């Protein structure tokens, strides 16, 4: 998606040569016009795929998933919650996810009320890096007996293992911008 | 807003007679079609008000603010982050907010990059109860030298102090549904 790649080049900030900050349009300040086109791009990529529900994870994923829902005929959007809590909630599907950036494990939860057996679920997230969060969301969908029909990612770090993790899990992956490297102190796309 | 009130009556769950759960369309699962009309309703309420930016707070507020932005000519949406961290970030506007439900204090932050002096800011949030979070967001806008031109709330608990807190802060408040009481085990609107 060209507009997105241009935005990454003009507005993304590369910290310490290897951390891409896009918090002026995706992770703290949101460019809702751009997200409209991001949602539209997902609808093109997944054209013809039956989707009953969109699943994402708080916080930034919520904006992307809502804008995508508009282009998929307004299926319900469910956002998984991140929590440090140790309590098991019997009414929730739950997985543990290891955060590489924070070097800690957190729990991801979705209430059993909002995922049902047989539902076809499109998972949407802002970033794909090592695939831990994506794998967790796929596991939650399968715990519910629902089917993860695809994973739509805004920015994929193509030099990390996320794609392999998602493909090994048997889920179709569509990323709108794939980063190849940060060589030369700049963002290079695949 | 009638559609919203109907949705609260049909889909809201009243726990223990005094906790209204609306997590099947606003706080966990999102009804994006309804949120479109919520955004439209805010645009009607604040018609003619100049708005440079929309400020909200993670997580549920993000969905509401994004759908509202579509009806205000796509101003940037900024979502404040909640954090337990004790570190002061010199690059962020920050307030402490007391959570009555969790009986604990948390920090709310917005990067200095994304609020500027002189900007006219519409604050959007899903709930108004005792007004602690709203007051925190108003304070952050003023720390930045920006102007809080209004607060748009989806559901106001009219029997709590939020409205007084916001009005005492000199900010115009527009709530789309105002709860009067939970008498008789059901939701009564103002």
């Amino acid at each position: 998606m060209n507009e997105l790649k241009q935005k990454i080049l003009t507005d993304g900030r590369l910290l310490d040569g290897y951390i891409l900050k896009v918090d002026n349009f995706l992770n703290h300040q949101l460019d809702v016009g751009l997200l409209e086109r991001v949602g539209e791009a997902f609808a093109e990529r997944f054209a013809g795929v039956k989707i009953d529900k969109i699943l994402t994870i708080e916080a930034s994923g919520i904006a992307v998933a809502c804008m995508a829902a508009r282009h998929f005929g307004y299926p319900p959007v469910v956002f998984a919650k991140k929590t440090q809590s140790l309590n098991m909630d019997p009414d929730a599907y739950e997985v543990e996810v290891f955060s590489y950036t924070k070097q800690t494990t957190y729990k991801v939860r979705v209430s059993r009320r909002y995922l049902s057996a047989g539902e076809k679920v499109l998972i949407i997230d802002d970033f794909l890096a090592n695939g831990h969060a994506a794998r967790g969301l796929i596991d939650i969908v399968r715990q519910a007996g629902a089917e993860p029909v695809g994973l739509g990612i805004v920015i994929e770090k193509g030099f990390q293992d996320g794609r392999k993790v998602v493909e090994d899990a048997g889920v179709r992956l569509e990323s709108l911008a794939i980063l190849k490297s940060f060589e030369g102190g700049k963002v290079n796309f695949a």
Side-chain angles (χ1 to χ4, degrees), chain A residues 55-98:
Chain A
L55 175 67
T56 188
I57 183 164
E58 62 182 4
S60 310
I62 295 172
V64 183
C66 285
M67 299 318 276
R70 302 184 59 245
H71 299 279
F72 284 96
Y74 294 93
V77 168
V78 175
F79 64 91
K81 302 192 177 196
K82 294 174 188 172
T83 169
Q84 300 291 344
S85 165
L86 298 174
N87 300 334
M88 285 287 292
D89 178 352
D91 291 334
Y93 301 110
E94 187 173 278
V95 289
E96 292 210 332
V97 170
F98 178 73

Side-chain angles (χ1 to χ4, degrees), chain A residues 12-190:
Chain A
R13 289 177 296 137
L14 203 51
L15 306 186
D16 302 330
Y18 68 97
I19 299 169
L20 177 66
K21 293 281 274 187
V22 289
D23 60 2
N24 57 349
F25 63 93
L26 187 60
N27 294 134
H28 187 9
Q29 179 166 264
L30 303 167
D31 180 335
V32 179
L34 173 67
L35 295 183
E36 294 254 26
R37 272 93 66 190
V38 160
E40 212 170 81
F42 282 132
E44 281 167 20
R45 300 283 186 108
F46 291 103
V49 177
K50 187 179 182 304
I51 287 161
D52 299 314
K53 196 161 270 183
I54 293 177
L55 175 67
T56 188
I57 183 164
E58 62 182 4
S60 310
I62 295 172
V64 183
C66 285
M67 299 318 276
R70 302 184 59 245
H71 299 279
F72 284 96
Y74 294 93
V77 168
V78 175
F79 64 91
K81 302 192 177 196
K82 294 174 188 172
T83 169
Q84 300 291 344
S85 165
L86 298 174
N87 300 334
M88 285 287 292
D89 178 352
D91 291 334
Y93 301 110
E94 187 173 278
V95 289
E96 292 210 332
V97 170
F98 178 73
S99 165
Y100 189 81
T101 2
K102 297 184 181 167
Q103 289 289 314
T104 177
T105 293
Y106 61 96
K107 285 185 197 291
V108 171
R109 285 181 182 164
V110 175
S111 165
R112 286 173 189 267
R113 289 175 180 270
Y114 305 126
L115 276 180
S116 304
E119 282 181 333
K120 294 181 185 302
V121 180
L122 174 65
I123 304 170
I124 294 275
D125 206 0
D126 53 344
F127 266 92
L128 178 70
N130 50 45
H132 293 172
R135 182 64 217 230
L137 293 174
I138 291 168
D139 287 352
I140 279 182
V141 171
R142 289 186 171 146
Q143 276 182 42
E147 185 189 343
V149 293
L151 172 64
I153 291 291
V154 183
I155 302 175
E156 175 186 340
K157 294 181 176 169
F159 46 86
Q160 288 189 254
D161 295 334
R163 178 165 290 267
K164 186 174 181 337
V165 168
V166 174
E167 288 176 350
D168 285 354
V171 175
R172 175 178 165 193
L173 170 62
E174 294 285 349
S175 301
L176 302 185
I178 303 178
L179 311 180
K180 194 174 107 191
S181 75
F182 297 140
E183 269 173 32
K186 65 186 199 60
V187 174
N188 304 290
F189 294 103

Side-chain angles (χ1 to χ4, degrees), chain A residues 2-12 25 31 34:
Chain A
N2 270 330
E3 182 188 359
L4 173 64
K5 290 179 186 169
Q6 281 306 316
K7 189 79 171 175
I8 293 169
L9 290 176
T10 56
D11 288 25
F25 63 93
D31 180 335
L34 173 67

